[in-house]
Amino acid sequence: MFKKIDVVIVTYNRLEKLKRAINAFNCQTTLPMRIIVVNNNSNDGTIEFLEEWKKQNYCYEKVVINLSKNFGGSGGFFKGIEYALNNNAEWIWVSDDDAYPEKHAIELATNYINNHDMSNISAICGKVIQNNSILYDHRRKVKRGLVRIKQIPFKRKNYNKDEFDIDLFTYVGTIMNVDKLRQVGNVNKDLFIYYDDTEHSWRLRKVGRIVCIPRIEIIHDLKGNMVNEKFSWTNYYMYRNKLYFIKNYFGSWYTLFEKFLIYLRIIKKHNHECTKLIMESIKDFNDNKVGISDTYNPSWKIKK
């Protein structure tokens, strides 16, 4: 019988969202066994809040991992998942600090796991919503074209089903099978942000099914997120890491065409800073450079 589910939340300087995320798990009809919060060296009062949170009396174990610097989403998830794997978790729910599960989410997930053969399932995930609308990009399938790898979001009709299989997920409302995790390994901590979850889900898909269960709902609070800006420092990682993903799993021809598409964006931008960022992302990909960039990090601002 399934008993143990750990929740890993990664946060960086979004204290109010973190509070709401933790409260969403506190209000679950079925509580997790453990909540692990990985703090990416926040300086907005997060440390003090988490110290008080650890003292509160909830029916689950509370773990706080304060990192010495911002290791990005991938580095934070690596640490949290590593802790869960080393402490007898059986399934691991991964979540950013801006993702809030509806109150029956863990109960629905637990019931599904208890009542199905999970030996060939790598992960299950829920429906991601904002303002009552489905955010389709969180659950995708891979299609190989003649020159391009396409990541196609599943359509509304799929969400009318009890469940459907997917190829790629984001770390919003995803619960991973520890047995499969041990087969494929932890998240690639060197990607910093972007494509860490895509790359990880593709590895997990190779060893088992990934099932989306639309009854499990997660609210994604995108308001104020840097990644929603039309162009920011995060684009460097999006371009670089997408090339990394395509090269490692689909080969040089698809990578070459993706580079061509990225170069086309330079023509559209008409901005020196944007051009420089895009060129740097491609150069660092060519040089096999991963991790955080000295230039393109949360302190970078585009010049108007």
Side-chain angles (χ1 to χ4, degrees):
M1 179 65 71
F2 164 74
K3 293 181 179 179
K4 297 173 182 174
I5 181 169
D6 284 18
V7 173
V8 174
I9 303 173
V10 175
T11 189
Y12 174 67
N13 277 351
R14 297 198 294 200
L15 178 55
E16 294 307 312
K17 290 187 177 187
L18 174 62
K19 290 178 180 178
R20 186 175 173 188
I22 289 177
N23 185 62
F25 286 105
N26 289 343
C27 294
Q28 291 293 302
T29 53
T30 297
L31 292 174
M33 290 293 295
R34 180 188 294 121
I35 295 181
I36 304 162
V37 179
V38 183
N39 171 29
N40 258 322
N41 199 32
S42 300
N43 57 13
D44 62 347
T46 293
I47 291 177
E48 293 77 9
F49 165 75
L50 290 174
E51 284 301 312
E52 291 301 314
W53 171 67
K54 286 197 299 183
K55 299 175 185 176
Q56 297 173 12
N57 186 22
Y58 291 105
C59 296
Y60 57 79
E61 181 184 349
K62 297 179 289 296
V63 176
V64 174
I65 302 174
N66 288 310
L67 301 180
S68 60
K69 64 179 182 179
N70 183 2
F71 288 92
S74 62
F77 281 117
F78 180 92
K79 288 293 186 181
I81 292 169
E82 180 181 60
Y83 184 96
L85 288 172
N86 290 334
N87 287 275
N88 302 315
E90 295 175 356
W91 287 75
I92 302 175
W93 180 303
V94 283
S95 177
D96 283 317
D97 52 13
D98 60 358
Y100 319 134
E102 297 284 22
K103 66 178 182 179
H104 297 292
I106 292 181
E107 179 183 357
L108 290 168
T110 301
N111 290 340
Y112 185 89
I113 293 168
N114 282 339
N115 290 289
H116 291 79
D117 178 6
M118 306 303 289
S119 60
N120 191 40
I121 293 182
S122 292
I124 63 174
C125 56
K127 175 173 63 180
V128 183
I129 57 176
Q130 181 190 27
N131 298 327
N132 296 316
S133 297
I134 302 170
L135 299 179
Y136 295 104
D137 284 346
H138 288 271
R139 314 295 180 227
R140 289 158 285 148
K141 59 183 173 182
V142 172
K143 183 177 180 180
R144 295 174 185 254
L146 289 176
V147 295
R148 189 181 185 190
I149 294 296
K150 294 183 179 180
Q151 301 175 40
I152 303 172
F154 284 89
K155 298 180 179 180
R156 177 177 289 275
K157 65 180 181 180
N158 296 100
Y159 288 87
N160 293 328
K161 302 175 182 179
D162 289 336
E163 63 181 72
F164 58 95
D165 282 25
I166 68 171
D167 292 326
L168 304 174
F169 56 65
T170 66
Y171 285 155
V172 179
T174 293
I175 314 170
M176 297 181 288
N177 184 339
V178 163
D179 290 338
K180 301 299 185 181
L181 266 174
R182 295 191 190 282
Q183 288 184 45
V184 305
N186 204 337
V187 60
N188 184 338
K189 62 184 177 181
D190 293 324
L191 296 181
F192 194 69
I193 60 168
Y194 268 125
Y195 272 82
D196 50 339
D197 42 15
T198 297
E199 191 271 345
H200 203 195
S201 57
W202 189 244
R203 278 188 279 142
L204 285 164
R205 182 66 185 88
K206 296 298 185 181
V207 298
R209 296 168 56 208
I210 301 174
V211 181
C212 180
I213 305 164
R215 297 187 306 280
I216 301 172
E217 295 186 348
I218 306 95
I219 298 170
H220 198 196
D221 181 7
L222 295 173
K223 185 178 179 180
N225 284 10
M226 177 68 72
V227 293
N228 292 316
E229 295 186 5
K230 290 184 178 180
F231 203 89
S232 75
W233 61 272
T234 63
N235 290 81
Y236 164 87
Y237 299 94
M238 180 179 67
Y239 298 135
R240 186 195 71 182
N241 294 348
K242 185 175 185 179
L243 289 171
Y244 171 92
F245 172 67
I246 293 173
K247 178 185 176 182
N248 276 273
Y249 297 104
F250 302 101
S252 300
W253 173 246
Y254 288 113
T255 307
L256 183 63
F257 188 76
E258 192 63 36
K259 283 185 185 180
F260 169 73
L261 295 178
I262 294 173
Y263 281 124
L264 288 180
R265 289 174 173 83
I266 295 174
I267 300 173
K268 295 179 180 180
K269 291 299 178 183
H270 301 292
N271 182 285
H272 173 73
E273 291 295 315
C274 294
T275 297
K276 184 178 177 182
L277 179 149
I278 293 171
M279 295 299 294
E280 192 72 17
S281 70
I282 295 174
K283 177 182 181 299
D284 286 349
F285 163 75
N286 290 335
D287 293 340
N288 297 313
K289 183 177 179 180
V290 290
I292 187 171
S293 165
D294 293 334
T295 303
Y296 301 107
N297 53 59
S299 65
W300 185 83
K301 302 292 183 184
I302 190 170
K303 296 177 182 178
K304 303 296 184 182

